[in-house]
Amino acid sequence: MNINKKINIFHKILSADIVEPISFIWTQWRKQKLPLVIFISLCLNLVIAPAVYAVADGVLERRSAWAIGILGFITLALVFYLFFVIFQPERF
């Protein structure tokens, strides 16, 4: 199958409203990493927050479960950052 046919099928499946933002994000991800990281962490929090809420058996509010998920991501990001700063200080 030709690459142009694959692209046309892709454009038929996804509407232009979805394709344009995806292509913009794809072209800009090397220049602006922080907004992309924040967006991805919030998307991953869509999976983590309900799990935290389910484990708490209704003791926590939904807002608290979201906050715990976000704090978990921030803590994990700091751990990775400090790990790289300690073991590769010449890059920083």
Side-chain angles (χ1 to χ4, degrees):
M1 186 182 260
N2 187 330
I3 189 74
N4 289 333
K5 288 182 182 178
K6 287 182 182 179
I7 292 173
N8 288 336
I9 292 171
F10 180 71
H11 283 286
K12 285 180 183 177
I13 293 172
L14 295 174
S15 68
D17 294 336
I18 296 173
V19 172
E20 289 178 22
I22 291 173
S23 65
F24 178 74
I25 290 171
W26 186 257
T27 58
Q28 295 294 319
W29 75 276
R30 289 183 189 242
K31 295 178 185 174
Q32 299 176 0
K33 290 185 181 181
L34 183 61
L36 185 62
V37 169
I38 292 171
F39 175 72
I40 290 172
S41 65
L42 288 175
C43 288
L44 288 175
N45 200 21
L46 290 172
V47 175
I48 300 297
V52 170
Y53 186 69
V55 169
D57 290 330
V59 176
L60 291 175
E61 295 180 15
R62 284 191 186 267
R63 194 180 324 174
S64 300
W66 279 90
I68 290 171
I70 291 173
L71 286 174
F73 282 124
I74 291 172
T75 304
L76 190 63
L78 283 173
V79 166
F80 281 123
Y81 173 74
L82 291 175
F83 177 78
F84 285 113
V85 167
I86 290 171
F87 290 108
Q88 295 179 348
E90 64 276 359
R91 294 183 77 191
F92 300 94

